[in-house]
Amino acid sequence: MNGIVDPQFWAKKKVFLTGHSGFKGGWLTIWLATMGARIIGYSLSPKPNPNLFEVAKISSLCESSLIGDICDLNSLRNAIIKAAPDVVIHMAAQPLVRYSYENPIETYATNVMGTAHLLEAIRSCSSVRVVIIVTTDKCYENKEWVWGYRENEPMGGYDPYSSSKGCAELVTKAYRESFFSENEYANHRIVIASVRAGNVIGGGDWSADRLIPDAIRAFEANRPLIIRNPLAIRPWQHVLEPLSGYLVLAQAMFERGVEYSGAWNFGPQDSDARSVKEVIELLIREWGATTTWTQDGAPQPHEAHFLKLDCSKAKQVLNWRINWNLEKAITTIVEWHHAYSKGGDMLAMTCKQIESYNAW
């Protein structure tokens, strides 16, 4: 593998993408569309307002854009059977840690049973060759050590969100071994992998309780940004970094089979595991903001202090590489949101940044 996303491979490939109305799913939909893929999106209605899905007119890029809930097995199964995709990429999720404290049952239902429903639906669809299950770096049992977590580390999770993603990993492994085993590959012809990324950032993210969107809202309102844990260290990466890994991995799985199944990390370089305080100060400088930040003194629910991924497997086996460091990621985010504030064509802006990433 040369580690580079191949547009020719994706041209005319039929891709069933859950969560295409979300931030990360929106960026992937646009990238796939630029390569000529046939996209069937399946997700809940987009939120919040504004959102990337509507701002960039993403539904227009899909062969079919379906509003549906992954917790509805029959609806999901019928949609996949009708679509008859080559590749399934599962991104639909409840993605927020703090929300999971307030809504734990919804979080487990979506992230655990939703994943089980997706895998169960695939059992009824003979066209599928590749399945990518997107989880998170927070699926690991976090011991707050300085080393990056490898794919064979134990699953865990202190909060409902993190543990739900650890559970999703276990569900994926169980389905792979029970119904899509390597020994029976000649019969089922389906390869399944799970992928884990760091703290993903990029233009078009307006989610609540995420650092960059919260900061941009504060800058635009000219009010101080309130930070919960300024010294917490996270592996920050532009959204295109892990997406490139998912696309490279999917091609390897399609062309070479079960040797590429299993779990994969697609995190940033070690130097981009930085504190919340550092990230905000970078963003303030790049934005040209006159506001400052202050720490929230109220009691906070538990969140991991230190987390880092070891991506040696992806780099050595797939020759996957990281194109943009944190400084470049921050620059592109500011560029994107300044263009949005001026009424720019945000689909064109997003395509421009994807093109720039590919040329880096």
Side-chain angles (χ1 to χ4, degrees), residues 123-298:
R123 294 179 64 196
S124 303
C125 187
S126 60
S127 68
V128 176
R129 292 291 170 265
V130 167
V131 182
I132 301 281
I133 304 293
V134 178
T135 64
T136 176
D137 57 346
K138 297 175 181 66
C139 67
Y140 292 106
E141 181 183 338
N142 192 346
K143 300 178 181 178
E144 301 281 357
W145 58 28
V146 297
W147 303 283
Y149 291 91
R150 296 168 295 180
E151 288 86 349
N152 60 355
E153 305 280 1
M155 297 293 96
Y158 182 101
D159 56 87
Y161 167 75
S162 301
S163 67
S164 75
K165 286 297 194 173
C167 291
E169 287 279 355
L170 296 176
V171 167
T172 302
K173 183 174 185 290
Y175 262 81
R176 184 170 54 240
E177 293 181 351
S178 299
F179 306 112
F180 306 105
S181 70
E182 294 185 12
N183 294 337
E184 296 295 323
Y185 176 66
N187 295 324
H188 58 72
R189 303 293 294 172
I190 296 177
V191 189
I192 299 177
S194 60
V195 293
R196 305 153 185 177
N199 273 36
V200 174
I201 58 177
D205 187 2
W206 281 281
S207 301
D209 286 326
R210 281 185 180 158
L211 182 64
I212 301 295
D214 285 350
I216 291 173
R217 280 188 284 267
F219 298 164
E220 291 175 338
N222 196 29
R223 56 176 170 76
L225 170 65
I226 299 174
I227 298 176
R228 297 189 299 270
N229 300 296
L231 300 182
I233 296 172
R234 298 285 185 270
W236 307 93
Q237 60 187 146
H238 191 275
V239 62
L240 292 176
E241 298 292 355
L243 294 185
S244 72
Y246 305 167
L247 294 171
V248 169
L249 173 61
Q251 180 176 349
M253 294 163 67
F254 192 95
E255 295 178 342
R256 304 193 183 186
V258 292
E259 65 179 291
Y260 289 91
S261 68
W264 297 80
N265 287 339
F266 293 101
Q269 54 197 3
D270 288 352
S271 60
D272 285 335
R274 303 198 210 173
S275 71
V276 168
K277 178 177 179 289
E278 289 178 90
V279 173
I280 286 303
E281 290 176 348
L282 277 173
L283 186 60
I284 288 173
R285 286 200 299 271
E286 188 69 29
W287 190 277
T290 57
T291 188
T292 57
W293 64 268
T294 184
Q295 185 170 0
D296 189 345

